[in-house]
Amino acid sequence: MIKFNDFEKEYLECKSELLDTFENTLQSGWYVLGPRVVNFENEFSNMFNFKHTIGVGNGMDAIELILRALNIKNGDEVITTPLTAFATVLAILKVGATPVLCDIDPNTGLMDIQSAEKSINIKTKAILLVHLYGRIENADNFKLLCNKNNLFFIEDCAQSHGASENDITCGNFGIAGAYSFYPTKNLGAIGDGGAVVTNNQELFTSIQKLRNYGQEKRYYHSLIGMNSRLDELQAAILSVKLKYLEERTMKRKEIANYYFNNINNDNIQLLSKPLNSKSHVYHLFVIKLFENREYFQNYLTNNGIETLIHYPVPIHKQDAMKGMFNNYVDLNNSENFSNECISIPCHPFLKENDLEIIVSAINKFQL
Ligand SMILES: *Cc1c(COP(=O)(O)O)cnc(C)c1O
């Protein structure tokens, strides 16, 4: 079976470093928010030019913490996409605000800027742009749109570690960016983890407190915070893996290029290829079928190729979302996309032979 992700190979590639780190951390006797977290925060900031990185419990908390620090609350609206991880929207709901869903560009799966613009009204407080599948597009224009309408611009970078536009890494466009280090992400911990990145000093100080009960210093609380701390073990492991990120991202890009150059089947549509290779880090490689996706997925399974669907149900069609969102535009592109998309393996440990098997199976597929 060609796996969708290969965590074992990822571990084996840096096994001795990880085991050393593991042992050192256990020996240190300090397990939550300690020197390893600070060290990782600094490394992450330095790598991508953020003024501040704040290690937190997970990617969803990272979004919630940003919204809370910006005082976005009940009665406020936040514009985002129906084609994203459920966590994006859950974080908006958790602060009491209303998610407003706009439509997507069917060629990329990313939020459509015109559709976002049409969704702005007096209640709108922020646009939460998701760099879905690892791709950043139009970040400058979204920023302009936000500035023009006096809205906060927030980035969901959970899938896009290191993706950049005009040599500016995602997370630097908005007032803050939310990263996830869930194990499947391009930079993954061995459990949950996340980070808020920001160049805004005020936001930095308040989120640093908010993640840890809102405390100013130990046992003195200036804010109503939450518990969303990164632990030392995850931070130490992330520091090891961060050294491999660039090389692993290069592998993902090579795989994507191979797919762009070799997949050729009239029943299958590729998403648009980004003009700039730096703008996509291929967390996922997604293709579309106009019909019979399930049949295609079974066909690939029978050929030993594991696939997943991101995402089979758009946010507004989820059972839990009844009455929970607004939309001022129709969401047809998102609905069609959810029915058509399928993600094929794109992890950095695929071998040339695996790629040949995948492409040949896809090219031979007949309806
Ligand atoms: C994974 C993910 C999240 C949530 O991250 P967690 O660490 O799982 O909480 C948010 N948004 C997107 C787009 C994601 O892919």
Side-chain angles (χ1 to χ4, degrees), residues 58-60 63 84-85 87-88 130 156 158-159 180 182 185 192-193 311:
N58 55 65
M60 178 174 144
I63 303 171
T84 182
T88 307
V130 181
D156 181 340
Q159 301 189 353
S180 166
Y182 185 73
K185 311 292 185 184
D192 279 307
Y311 294 90

Side-chain angles (χ1 to χ4, degrees), residues 122-169:
I122 191 93
K123 290 184 183 165
T124 314
K125 286 290 174 324
I127 293 181
L128 175 49
L129 182 65
V130 181
H131 305 308
L132 193 73
Y133 305 148
R135 181 172 192 167
I136 182 169
E137 290 275 332
N138 266 333
D140 262 334
N141 292 329
F142 271 101
K143 187 175 176 168
L144 278 176
L145 179 65
C146 287
N147 289 346
K148 204 172 76 186
N149 291 280
N150 212 6
L151 307 176
F152 293 118
F153 181 32
I154 304 166
E155 297 172 75
D156 181 340
C157 311
Q159 301 189 353
S160 58
H161 307 68
S164 67
E165 184 174 289
N166 304 327
D167 287 322
I168 297 167
T169 306

Side-chain angles (χ1 to χ4, degrees), residues 189-227:
I190 53 158
D192 279 307
V196 173
V197 301
T198 183
N199 297 320
N200 182 292
Q201 181 66 34
E202 213 179 317
L203 210 63
F204 167 65
T205 19
S206 70
I207 291 176
Q208 227 186 10
K209 292 178 212 160
L210 284 173
R211 73 170 165 182
N212 192 16
Y213 309 148
Q215 63 186 18
E216 186 84 42
K217 56 182 186 186
R218 212 171 188 184
Y219 310 135
Y220 290 83
H221 303 265
S222 57
L223 297 168
I224 300 293
M226 53 197 261
N227 176 352

Side-chain angles (χ1 to χ4, degrees), residues 251 258 350-357:
K251 287 286 304 203
Y258 184 85
L350 290 168
K351 299 245 161 29
E352 208 167 305
N353 187 242
D354 298 327
L355 297 179
E356 284 164 11
I357 293 170

